[in-house]
Amino acid sequence: MIGGLIGLLDDIATLAKLSAASLDDVRAAAGRATAKAAGVVVDDTAVTPHTCGGSGE
């Protein structure tokens, strides 16, 4: 009985560690995606300022 309880607690600890690692991976991927999206917006703004500025063309 005690051995089964210890095994269960060990399994729960293992799952918690895996979940934490997965959340870290998701957080890192989201950070990279945000940085890439911001870079695209900056690139588009730099390339086509006349479409946003209303220069009268």
mmCIF file of all heavy atoms in Angstrom:
data_model
loop_
_atom_site.group_PDB
_atom_site.id
_atom_site.type_symbol
_atom_site.label_atom_id
_atom_site.label_comp_id
_atom_site.label_asym_id
_atom_site.label_seq_id
_atom_site.Cartn_x
_atom_site.Cartn_y
_atom_site.Cartn_z
ATOM 1 N N MET A 1 0.820 -1.195 0.000
ATOM 2 C CA MET A 1 0.000 0.000 0.000
ATOM 3 C C MET A 1 0.866 1.263 0.000
ATOM 4 O O MET A 1 0.622 2.159 -0.794
ATOM 5 C CB MET A 1 -0.904 -0.031 1.239
ATOM 6 C CG MET A 1 -1.797 1.152 1.350
ATOM 7 S SD MET A 1 -3.254 0.872 0.368
ATOM 8 C CE MET A 1 -4.293 2.122 0.950
ATOM 9 N N ILE A 2 1.847 1.327 0.859
ATOM 10 C CA ILE A 2 2.728 2.492 0.906
ATOM 11 C C ILE A 2 3.536 2.609 -0.382
ATOM 12 O O ILE A 2 3.730 3.701 -0.912
ATOM 13 C CB ILE A 2 3.665 2.419 2.134
ATOM 14 C CG1 ILE A 2 2.865 2.502 3.429
ATOM 15 C CG2 ILE A 2 4.713 3.513 2.088
ATOM 16 C CD1 ILE A 2 2.163 3.816 3.634
ATOM 17 N N GLY A 3 3.995 1.466 -0.887
ATOM 18 C CA GLY A 3 4.768 1.479 -2.131
ATOM 19 C C GLY A 3 3.958 2.029 -3.288
ATOM 20 O O GLY A 3 4.481 2.769 -4.122
ATOM 21 N N GLY A 4 2.686 1.684 -3.357
ATOM 22 C CA GLY A 4 1.803 2.191 -4.411
ATOM 23 C C GLY A 4 1.595 3.683 -4.292
ATOM 24 O O GLY A 4 1.575 4.407 -5.292
ATOM 25 N N LEU A 5 1.454 4.170 -3.047
ATOM 26 C CA LEU A 5 1.269 5.601 -2.824
ATOM 27 C C LEU A 5 2.519 6.385 -3.209
ATOM 28 O O LEU A 5 2.435 7.430 -3.863
ATOM 29 C CB LEU A 5 0.924 5.863 -1.352
ATOM 30 C CG LEU A 5 0.678 7.309 -0.969
ATOM 31 C CD1 LEU A 5 -0.480 7.888 -1.766
ATOM 32 C CD2 LEU A 5 0.411 7.417 0.510
ATOM 33 N N ILE A 6 3.672 5.850 -2.857
ATOM 34 C CA ILE A 6 4.936 6.505 -3.224
ATOM 35 C C ILE A 6 5.103 6.519 -4.743
ATOM 36 O O ILE A 6 5.515 7.521 -5.329
ATOM 37 C CB ILE A 6 6.122 5.820 -2.522
ATOM 38 C CG1 ILE A 6 6.058 6.105 -1.019
ATOM 39 C CG2 ILE A 6 7.446 6.302 -3.097
ATOM 40 C CD1 ILE A 6 7.072 5.346 -0.192
ATOM 41 N N GLY A 7 4.744 5.417 -5.396
ATOM 42 C CA GLY A 7 4.814 5.364 -6.857
ATOM 43 C C GLY A 7 3.886 6.375 -7.504
ATOM 44 O O GLY A 7 4.244 7.036 -8.481
ATOM 45 N N LEU A 8 2.687 6.522 -6.940
ATOM 46 C CA LEU A 8 1.723 7.493 -7.464
ATOM 47 C C LEU A 8 2.246 8.915 -7.306
ATOM 48 O O LEU A 8 2.179 9.724 -8.241
ATOM 49 C CB LEU A 8 0.382 7.335 -6.747
ATOM 50 C CG LEU A 8 -0.717 8.317 -7.146
ATOM 51 C CD1 LEU A 8 -1.081 8.138 -8.613
ATOM 52 C CD2 LEU A 8 -1.925 8.135 -6.264
ATOM 53 N N LEU A 9 2.774 9.220 -6.138
ATOM 54 C CA LEU A 9 3.332 10.549 -5.914
ATOM 55 C C LEU A 9 4.520 10.820 -6.837
ATOM 56 O O LEU A 9 4.685 11.948 -7.321
ATOM 57 C CB LEU A 9 3.746 10.715 -4.447
ATOM 58 C CG LEU A 9 2.585 10.759 -3.442
ATOM 59 C CD1 LEU A 9 3.120 10.795 -2.030
ATOM 60 C CD2 LEU A 9 1.667 11.919 -3.712
ATOM 61 N N ASP A 10 5.313 9.810 -7.091
ATOM 62 C CA ASP A 10 6.444 9.964 -8.005
ATOM 63 C C ASP A 10 5.944 10.253 -9.424
ATOM 64 O O ASP A 10 6.499 11.106 -10.117
ATOM 65 C CB ASP A 10 7.310 8.705 -7.984
ATOM 66 C CG ASP A 10 8.569 8.863 -8.807
ATOM 67 O OD1 ASP A 10 9.280 9.871 -8.610
ATOM 68 O OD2 ASP A 10 8.838 7.976 -9.655
ATOM 69 N N ASP A 11 4.895 9.551 -9.830
ATOM 70 C CA ASP A 11 4.323 9.791 -11.160
ATOM 71 C C ASP A 11 3.764 11.213 -11.269
ATOM 72 O O ASP A 11 3.932 11.878 -12.291
ATOM 73 C CB ASP A 11 3.213 8.774 -11.458
ATOM 74 C CG ASP A 11 3.754 7.382 -11.705
ATOM 75 O OD1 ASP A 11 4.987 7.241 -11.896
ATOM 76 O OD2 ASP A 11 2.956 6.429 -11.701
ATOM 77 N N ILE A 12 3.114 11.670 -10.207
ATOM 78 C CA ILE A 12 2.560 13.027 -10.216
ATOM 79 C C ILE A 12 3.682 14.058 -10.313
ATOM 80 O O ILE A 12 3.585 15.036 -11.053
ATOM 81 C CB ILE A 12 1.690 13.257 -8.963
ATOM 82 C CG1 ILE A 12 0.426 12.407 -9.059
ATOM 83 C CG2 ILE A 12 1.340 14.730 -8.798
ATOM 84 C CD1 ILE A 12 -0.407 12.381 -7.801
ATOM 85 N N ALA A 13 4.772 13.828 -9.582
ATOM 86 C CA ALA A 13 5.909 14.754 -9.643
ATOM 87 C C ALA A 13 6.516 14.773 -11.040
ATOM 88 O O ALA A 13 6.882 15.833 -11.552
ATOM 89 C CB ALA A 13 6.957 14.354 -8.610
ATOM 90 N N THR A 14 6.604 13.616 -11.668
ATOM 91 C CA THR A 14 7.153 13.535 -13.023
ATOM 92 C C THR A 14 6.274 14.297 -14.008
ATOM 93 O O THR A 14 6.773 15.045 -14.862
ATOM 94 C CB THR A 14 7.298 12.066 -13.457
ATOM 95 O OG1 THR A 14 8.155 11.398 -12.530
ATOM 96 C CG2 THR A 14 7.869 11.949 -14.847
ATOM 97 N N LEU A 15 4.957 14.120 -13.894
ATOM 98 C CA LEU A 15 4.038 14.844 -14.783
ATOM 99 C C LEU A 15 4.123 16.349 -14.565
ATOM 100 O O LEU A 15 4.056 17.126 -15.519
ATOM 101 C CB LEU A 15 2.605 14.362 -14.563
ATOM 102 C CG LEU A 15 2.276 12.976 -15.116
ATOM 103 C CD1 LEU A 15 0.876 12.556 -14.679
ATOM 104 C CD2 LEU A 15 2.382 12.960 -16.624
ATOM 105 N N ALA A 16 4.276 16.765 -13.322
ATOM 106 C CA ALA A 16 4.397 18.201 -13.040
ATOM 107 C C ALA A 16 5.652 18.771 -13.682
ATOM 108 O O ALA A 16 5.635 19.878 -14.232
ATOM 109 C CB ALA A 16 4.405 18.430 -11.537
ATOM 110 N N LYS A 17 6.750 18.028 -13.626
ATOM 111 C CA LYS A 17 7.997 18.493 -14.250
ATOM 112 C C LYS A 17 7.843 18.599 -15.764
ATOM 113 O O LYS A 17 8.306 19.561 -16.378
ATOM 114 C CB LYS A 17 9.142 17.544 -13.915
ATOM 115 C CG LYS A 17 9.610 17.638 -12.488
ATOM 116 C CD LYS A 17 10.708 16.641 -12.214
ATOM 117 C CE LYS A 17 11.083 16.607 -10.758
ATOM 118 N NZ LYS A 17 12.078 15.574 -10.456
ATOM 119 N N LEU A 18 7.191 17.603 -16.367
ATOM 120 C CA LEU A 18 6.982 17.633 -17.817
ATOM 121 C C LEU A 18 6.079 18.796 -18.217
ATOM 122 O O LEU A 18 6.310 19.450 -19.233
ATOM 123 C CB LEU A 18 6.388 16.306 -18.296
ATOM 124 C CG LEU A 18 7.318 15.109 -18.263
ATOM 125 C CD1 LEU A 18 6.549 13.842 -18.617
ATOM 126 C CD2 LEU A 18 8.481 15.299 -19.218
ATOM 127 N N SER A 19 5.054 19.066 -17.429
ATOM 128 C CA SER A 19 4.156 20.180 -17.721
ATOM 129 C C SER A 19 4.895 21.510 -17.641
ATOM 130 O O SER A 19 4.698 22.387 -18.473
ATOM 131 C CB SER A 19 2.981 20.185 -16.744
ATOM 132 O OG SER A 19 2.199 19.034 -16.931
ATOM 133 N N ALA A 20 5.732 21.646 -16.641
ATOM 134 C CA ALA A 20 6.499 22.892 -16.496
ATOM 135 C C ALA A 20 7.435 23.081 -17.682
ATOM 136 O O ALA A 20 7.573 24.190 -18.204
ATOM 137 C CB ALA A 20 7.279 22.871 -15.189
ATOM 138 N N ALA A 21 8.063 21.999 -18.127
ATOM 139 C CA ALA A 21 8.959 22.090 -19.285
ATOM 140 C C ALA A 21 8.173 22.459 -20.542
ATOM 141 O O ALA A 21 8.631 23.268 -21.355
ATOM 142 C CB ALA A 21 9.702 20.778 -19.475
ATOM 143 N N SER A 22 6.988 21.904 -20.700
ATOM 144 C CA SER A 22 6.164 22.214 -21.867
ATOM 145 C C SER A 22 5.740 23.678 -21.861
ATOM 146 O O SER A 22 5.743 24.340 -22.898
ATOM 147 C CB SER A 22 4.922 21.317 -21.894
ATOM 148 O OG SER A 22 5.296 19.977 -22.087
ATOM 149 N N LEU A 23 5.375 24.188 -20.679
ATOM 150 C CA LEU A 23 4.988 25.593 -20.595
ATOM 151 C C LEU A 23 6.151 26.512 -20.924
ATOM 152 O O LEU A 23 5.975 27.539 -21.581
ATOM 153 C CB LEU A 23 4.450 25.904 -19.200
ATOM 154 C CG LEU A 23 3.074 25.313 -18.874
ATOM 155 C CD1 LEU A 23 2.712 25.583 -17.424
ATOM 156 C CD2 LEU A 23 2.014 25.870 -19.787
ATOM 157 N N ASP A 24 7.346 26.130 -20.511
ATOM 158 C CA ASP A 24 8.525 26.929 -20.852
ATOM 159 C C ASP A 24 8.752 26.933 -22.360
ATOM 160 O O ASP A 24 9.091 27.962 -22.942
ATOM 161 C CB ASP A 24 9.773 26.392 -20.149
ATOM 162 C CG ASP A 24 9.777 26.714 -18.658
ATOM 163 O OD1 ASP A 24 9.029 27.616 -18.235
ATOM 164 O OD2 ASP A 24 10.542 26.059 -17.932
ATOM 165 N N ASP A 25 8.544 25.782 -23.007
ATOM 166 C CA ASP A 25 8.703 25.704 -24.457
ATOM 167 C C ASP A 25 7.675 26.585 -25.167
ATOM 168 O O ASP A 25 7.997 27.279 -26.130
ATOM 169 C CB ASP A 25 8.560 24.256 -24.931
ATOM 170 C CG ASP A 25 9.722 23.381 -24.500
ATOM 171 O OD1 ASP A 25 10.771 23.931 -24.100
ATOM 172 O OD2 ASP A 25 9.582 22.146 -24.561
ATOM 173 N N VAL A 26 6.440 26.548 -24.690
ATOM 174 C CA VAL A 26 5.381 27.363 -25.299
ATOM 175 C C VAL A 26 5.686 28.842 -25.115
ATOM 176 O O VAL A 26 5.543 29.641 -26.041
ATOM 177 C CB VAL A 26 4.004 26.997 -24.685
ATOM 178 C CG1 VAL A 26 2.943 28.009 -25.083
ATOM 179 C CG2 VAL A 26 3.598 25.602 -25.102
ATOM 180 N N ARG A 27 6.146 29.201 -23.918
ATOM 181 C CA ARG A 27 6.479 30.602 -23.648
ATOM 182 C C ARG A 27 7.611 31.074 -24.555
ATOM 183 O O ARG A 27 7.570 32.172 -25.101
ATOM 184 C CB ARG A 27 6.868 30.760 -22.173
ATOM 185 C CG ARG A 27 6.999 32.191 -21.742
ATOM 186 C CD ARG A 27 7.311 32.315 -20.250
ATOM 187 N NE ARG A 27 6.322 31.655 -19.434
ATOM 188 C CZ ARG A 27 6.580 30.656 -18.564
ATOM 189 N NH1 ARG A 27 7.806 30.228 -18.400
ATOM 190 N NH2 ARG A 27 5.625 30.122 -17.863
ATOM 191 N N ALA A 28 8.611 30.239 -24.741
ATOM 192 C CA ALA A 28 9.739 30.616 -25.600
ATOM 193 C C ALA A 28 9.293 30.755 -27.060
ATOM 194 O O ALA A 28 9.694 31.699 -27.750
ATOM 195 C CB ALA A 28 10.850 29.587 -25.479
ATOM 196 N N ALA A 29 8.459 29.834 -27.517
ATOM 197 C CA ALA A 29 7.978 29.895 -28.898
ATOM 198 C C ALA A 29 7.113 31.140 -29.116
ATOM 199 O O ALA A 29 7.205 31.789 -30.166
ATOM 200 C CB ALA A 29 7.189 28.630 -29.237
ATOM 201 N N ALA A 30 6.295 31.476 -28.140
ATOM 202 C CA ALA A 30 5.454 32.671 -28.258
ATOM 203 C C ALA A 30 6.316 33.927 -28.311
ATOM 204 O O ALA A 30 6.021 34.856 -29.066
ATOM 205 C CB ALA A 30 4.479 32.745 -27.093
ATOM 206 N N GLY A 31 7.393 33.948 -27.541
ATOM 207 C CA GLY A 31 8.298 35.094 -27.568
ATOM 208 C C GLY A 31 8.965 35.250 -28.917
ATOM 209 O O GLY A 31 9.084 36.359 -29.435
ATOM 210 N N ARG A 32 9.384 34.136 -29.494
ATOM 211 C CA ARG A 32 10.008 34.203 -30.823
ATOM 212 C C ARG A 32 9.008 34.658 -31.873
ATOM 213 O O ARG A 32 9.329 35.459 -32.753
ATOM 214 C CB ARG A 32 10.595 32.837 -31.188
ATOM 215 C CG ARG A 32 11.868 32.503 -30.445
ATOM 216 C CD ARG A 32 12.554 31.289 -31.028
ATOM 217 N NE ARG A 32 11.707 30.103 -31.000
ATOM 218 C CZ ARG A 32 11.653 29.220 -30.008
ATOM 219 N NH1 ARG A 32 12.396 29.395 -28.942
ATOM 220 N NH2 ARG A 32 10.860 28.169 -30.077
ATOM 221 N N ALA A 33 7.782 34.156 -31.803
ATOM 222 C CA ALA A 33 6.761 34.542 -32.787
ATOM 223 C C ALA A 33 6.432 36.029 -32.672
ATOM 224 O O ALA A 33 6.248 36.708 -33.683
ATOM 225 C CB ALA A 33 5.505 33.703 -32.586
ATOM 226 N N THR A 34 6.365 36.524 -31.452
ATOM 227 C CA THR A 34 6.083 37.948 -31.250
ATOM 228 C C THR A 34 7.190 38.805 -31.825
ATOM 229 O O THR A 34 6.933 39.817 -32.489
ATOM 230 C CB THR A 34 5.906 38.243 -29.751
ATOM 231 O OG1 THR A 34 4.833 37.443 -29.255
ATOM 232 C CG2 THR A 34 5.610 39.702 -29.506
ATOM 233 N N ALA A 35 8.427 38.404 -31.600
ATOM 234 C CA ALA A 35 9.563 39.168 -32.131
ATOM 235 C C ALA A 35 9.553 39.168 -33.655
ATOM 236 O O ALA A 35 9.808 40.203 -34.282
ATOM 237 C CB ALA A 35 10.869 38.586 -31.605
ATOM 238 N N LYS A 36 9.235 38.031 -34.253
ATOM 239 C CA LYS A 36 9.178 37.961 -35.716
ATOM 240 C C LYS A 36 8.054 38.826 -36.260
ATOM 241 O O LYS A 36 8.215 39.525 -37.260
ATOM 242 C CB LYS A 36 9.001 36.514 -36.163
ATOM 243 C CG LYS A 36 10.254 35.686 -36.022
ATOM 244 C CD LYS A 36 10.033 34.278 -36.540
ATOM 245 C CE LYS A 36 11.287 33.446 -36.366
ATOM 246 N NZ LYS A 36 11.090 32.072 -36.833
ATOM 247 N N ALA A 37 6.892 38.790 -35.613
ATOM 248 C CA ALA A 37 5.756 39.596 -36.072
ATOM 249 C C ALA A 37 6.077 41.082 -35.960
ATOM 250 O O ALA A 37 5.749 41.855 -36.852
ATOM 251 C CB ALA A 37 4.502 39.257 -35.265
ATOM 252 N N ALA A 38 6.723 41.478 -34.896
ATOM 253 C CA ALA A 38 7.097 42.881 -34.736
ATOM 254 C C ALA A 38 8.095 43.286 -35.817
ATOM 255 O O ALA A 38 8.024 44.399 -36.345
ATOM 256 C CB ALA A 38 7.695 43.118 -33.352
ATOM 257 N N GLY A 39 9.002 42.401 -36.169
ATOM 258 C CA GLY A 39 9.969 42.688 -37.226
ATOM 259 C C GLY A 39 9.298 42.877 -38.567
ATOM 260 O O GLY A 39 9.682 43.755 -39.337
ATOM 261 N N VAL A 40 8.272 42.099 -38.858
ATOM 262 C CA VAL A 40 7.548 42.227 -40.128
ATOM 263 C C VAL A 40 6.820 43.562 -40.177
ATOM 264 O O VAL A 40 6.828 44.249 -41.188
ATOM 265 C CB VAL A 40 6.562 41.050 -40.312
ATOM 266 C CG1 VAL A 40 5.613 41.313 -41.470
ATOM 267 C CG2 VAL A 40 7.323 39.758 -40.538
ATOM 268 N N VAL A 41 6.202 43.953 -39.078
ATOM 269 C CA VAL A 41 5.489 45.242 -39.050
ATOM 270 C C VAL A 41 6.465 46.387 -39.263
ATOM 271 O O VAL A 41 6.194 47.313 -40.026
ATOM 272 C CB VAL A 41 4.725 45.399 -37.710
ATOM 273 C CG1 VAL A 41 4.208 46.820 -37.560
ATOM 274 C CG2 VAL A 41 3.588 44.398 -37.636
ATOM 275 N N VAL A 42 7.612 46.331 -38.633
ATOM 276 C CA VAL A 42 8.614 47.385 -38.808
ATOM 277 C C VAL A 42 9.114 47.407 -40.239
ATOM 278 O O VAL A 42 9.258 48.474 -40.839
ATOM 279 C CB VAL A 42 9.778 47.191 -37.809
ATOM 280 C CG1 VAL A 42 10.932 48.110 -38.146
ATOM 281 C CG2 VAL A 42 9.291 47.443 -36.393
ATOM 282 N N ASP A 43 9.351 46.232 -40.825
ATOM 283 C CA ASP A 43 9.786 46.177 -42.219
ATOM 284 C C ASP A 43 8.750 46.786 -43.144
ATOM 285 O O ASP A 43 9.074 47.556 -44.036
ATOM 286 C CB ASP A 43 10.048 44.725 -42.647
ATOM 287 C CG ASP A 43 11.406 44.234 -42.211
ATOM 288 O OD1 ASP A 43 12.212 45.052 -41.737
ATOM 289 O OD2 ASP A 43 11.668 43.023 -42.352
ATOM 290 N N ASP A 44 7.479 46.447 -42.961
ATOM 291 C CA ASP A 44 6.430 46.976 -43.823
ATOM 292 C C ASP A 44 6.308 48.485 -43.677
ATOM 293 O O ASP A 44 6.107 49.189 -44.652
ATOM 294 C CB ASP A 44 5.087 46.310 -43.500
ATOM 295 C CG ASP A 44 5.016 44.883 -44.024
ATOM 296 O OD1 ASP A 44 5.913 44.510 -44.810
ATOM 297 O OD2 ASP A 44 4.085 44.158 -43.670
ATOM 298 N N THR A 45 6.446 48.969 -42.486
ATOM 299 C CA THR A 45 6.353 50.411 -42.263
ATOM 300 C C THR A 45 7.513 51.136 -42.923
ATOM 301 O O THR A 45 7.337 52.190 -43.525
ATOM 302 C CB THR A 45 6.337 50.710 -40.747
ATOM 303 O OG1 THR A 45 5.237 50.008 -40.171
ATOM 304 C CG2 THR A 45 6.185 52.179 -40.486
ATOM 305 N N ALA A 46 8.691 50.543 -42.841
ATOM 306 C CA ALA A 46 9.867 51.181 -43.431
ATOM 307 C C ALA A 46 9.795 51.186 -44.953
ATOM 308 O O ALA A 46 10.269 52.111 -45.596
ATOM 309 C CB ALA A 46 11.129 50.463 -42.961
ATOM 310 N N VAL A 47 9.193 50.175 -45.536
ATOM 311 C CA VAL A 47 9.156 50.051 -46.992
ATOM 312 C C VAL A 47 8.079 50.938 -47.595
ATOM 313 O O VAL A 47 8.269 51.486 -48.668
ATOM 314 C CB VAL A 47 8.925 48.572 -47.395
ATOM 315 C CG1 VAL A 47 8.651 48.442 -48.879
ATOM 316 C CG2 VAL A 47 10.131 47.742 -47.015
ATOM 317 N N THR A 48 6.959 51.116 -46.921
ATOM 318 C CA THR A 48 5.840 51.831 -47.530
ATOM 319 C C THR A 48 5.359 52.995 -46.662
ATOM 320 O O THR A 48 4.203 53.063 -46.299
ATOM 321 C CB THR A 48 4.664 50.859 -47.764
ATOM 322 O OG1 THR A 48 4.297 50.279 -46.498
ATOM 323 C CG2 THR A 48 5.004 49.780 -48.737
ATOM 324 N N PRO A 49 6.215 53.947 -46.375
ATOM 325 C CA PRO A 49 5.754 55.077 -45.533
ATOM 326 C C PRO A 49 4.784 56.000 -46.268
ATOM 327 O O PRO A 49 3.968 56.643 -45.654
ATOM 328 C CB PRO A 49 7.039 55.805 -45.184
ATOM 329 C CG PRO A 49 7.995 55.452 -46.262
ATOM 330 C CD PRO A 49 7.616 54.067 -46.699
ATOM 331 N N HIS A 50 4.864 56.055 -47.584
ATOM 332 C CA HIS A 50 3.990 56.965 -48.321
ATOM 333 C C HIS A 50 2.523 56.542 -48.261
ATOM 334 O O HIS A 50 1.633 57.366 -48.417
ATOM 335 C CB HIS A 50 4.443 57.097 -49.790
ATOM 336 C CG HIS A 50 4.328 55.830 -50.557
ATOM 337 N ND1 HIS A 50 5.289 54.852 -50.496
ATOM 338 C CD2 HIS A 50 3.367 55.374 -51.395
ATOM 339 C CE1 HIS A 50 4.920 53.845 -51.286
ATOM 340 N NE2 HIS A 50 3.766 54.134 -51.831
ATOM 341 N N THR A 51 2.246 55.267 -48.015
ATOM 342 C CA THR A 51 0.858 54.822 -47.922
ATOM 343 C C THR A 51 0.240 55.200 -46.580
ATOM 344 O O THR A 51 -0.964 55.267 -46.469
ATOM 345 C CB THR A 51 0.755 53.296 -48.113
ATOM 346 O OG1 THR A 51 1.517 52.643 -47.104
ATOM 347 C CG2 THR A 51 1.233 52.891 -49.479
ATOM 348 N N CYS A 52 1.056 55.464 -45.587
ATOM 349 C CA CYS A 52 0.546 55.813 -44.256
ATOM 350 C C CYS A 52 0.632 57.303 -43.994
ATOM 351 O O CYS A 52 -0.100 57.803 -43.145
ATOM 352 C CB CYS A 52 1.356 55.072 -43.178
ATOM 353 S SG CYS A 52 1.278 53.292 -43.342
ATOM 354 N N GLY A 53 1.503 57.993 -44.664
ATOM 355 C CA GLY A 53 1.759 59.390 -44.321
ATOM 356 C C GLY A 53 0.817 60.396 -44.935
ATOM 357 O O GLY A 53 0.776 61.539 -44.513
ATOM 358 N N GLY A 54 0.069 60.031 -45.935
ATOM 359 C CA GLY A 54 -0.804 60.981 -46.592
ATOM 360 C C GLY A 54 -0.038 62.089 -47.267
ATOM 361 O O GLY A 54 -0.325 63.283 -47.104
ATOM 362 N N SER A 55 0.972 61.761 -48.065
ATOM 363 C CA SER A 55 1.848 62.761 -48.682
ATOM 364 C C SER A 55 1.188 63.453 -49.883
ATOM 365 O O SER A 55 1.766 64.338 -50.473
ATOM 366 C CB SER A 55 3.169 62.105 -49.102
ATOM 367 O OG SER A 55 2.909 61.089 -50.061
ATOM 368 N N GLY A 56 -0.035 63.039 -50.241
ATOM 369 C CA GLY A 56 -0.752 63.723 -51.310
ATOM 370 C C GLY A 56 -0.432 63.207 -52.682
ATOM 371 O O GLY A 56 -0.726 63.855 -53.663
ATOM 372 N N GLU A 57 0.150 62.059 -52.790
ATOM 373 C CA GLU A 57 0.485 61.515 -54.120
ATOM 374 C C GLU A 57 -0.695 60.818 -54.727
ATOM 375 O O GLU A 57 -1.517 60.257 -54.183
ATOM 376 C CB GLU A 57 1.643 60.539 -54.007
ATOM 377 C CG GLU A 57 2.921 61.242 -53.670
ATOM 378 C CD GLU A 57 4.087 60.275 -53.585
ATOM 379 O OE1 GLU A 57 4.044 59.227 -54.236
ATOM 380 O OE2 GLU A 57 5.037 60.576 -52.896
#
